[in-house]
Amino acid sequence: KDFLEWSQANLSKDSAAASASDVFLTLGISCTVAAIFKHGSRLSLLAIAPLAWQVIELLESLPESRSNSLIRKLRCKLLCRVGLVNLKPRLALWRYSLGSRTTAGAVVQQ
């Protein structure tokens, strides 16, 4: 939560004096938030999902996001991952249908 608040503060700074380091900071922030949403548990990520939506909106409003394809790619990746966290979890039916079969048993039968 603290990192997302920090990233919001850095992304919402005045973009009139945008430099190359700001582009790298934007890339780093978006890549890190996407990694957080890749490896975090769903229950803990649900609490910070609204902050992540605000970060996505800030990324969309940046002028360098229109010209930088990597920022657009990471914004899309983050948008998909936050959206998947908000969906209801669903277990696959085939997950538990394997039973007690093993490869050793299949080799013996042949």
Side-chain angles (χ1 to χ4, degrees), residues 37-48:
F37 273 84
K38 180 179 182 179
H39 297 292
S41 68
R42 183 181 176 274
L43 292 177
S44 62
L45 293 175
L46 276 173
I48 61 170

Side-chain angles (χ1 to χ4, degrees), residues 44-97:
S44 62
L45 293 175
L46 276 173
I48 61 170
L51 290 173
W53 282 115
Q54 293 171 0
V55 169
I56 293 169
E57 289 173 354
L58 285 171
L59 283 171
E60 190 172 351
S61 66
L62 292 175
E64 59 259 9
S65 69
R66 291 173 183 80
S67 62
N68 194 331
S69 62
L70 189 56
I71 292 177
R72 287 195 311 261
K73 175 193 167 200
L74 289 170
R75 187 184 71 218
C76 182
K77 183 183 284 193
L78 180 59
L79 180 67
C80 291
R81 288 182 180 169
V82 173
L84 286 174
V85 164
N86 286 317
L87 288 177
K88 188 176 96 171
R90 194 178 79 175
L91 291 177
L93 295 176
W94 53 265
R95 181 176 176 188
Y96 299 108
S97 65

Side-chain angles (χ1 to χ4, degrees), residues 1-10 29 32-33 36 44 47-48 51-52 55:
K1 182 176 179 178
D2 294 334
F3 178 75
L4 287 176
E5 291 171 353
W6 174 84
S7 62
Q8 279 182 333
N10 280 321
I29 287 172
T32 305
V33 175
I36 289 171
S44 62
I48 61 170
L51 290 173
V55 169

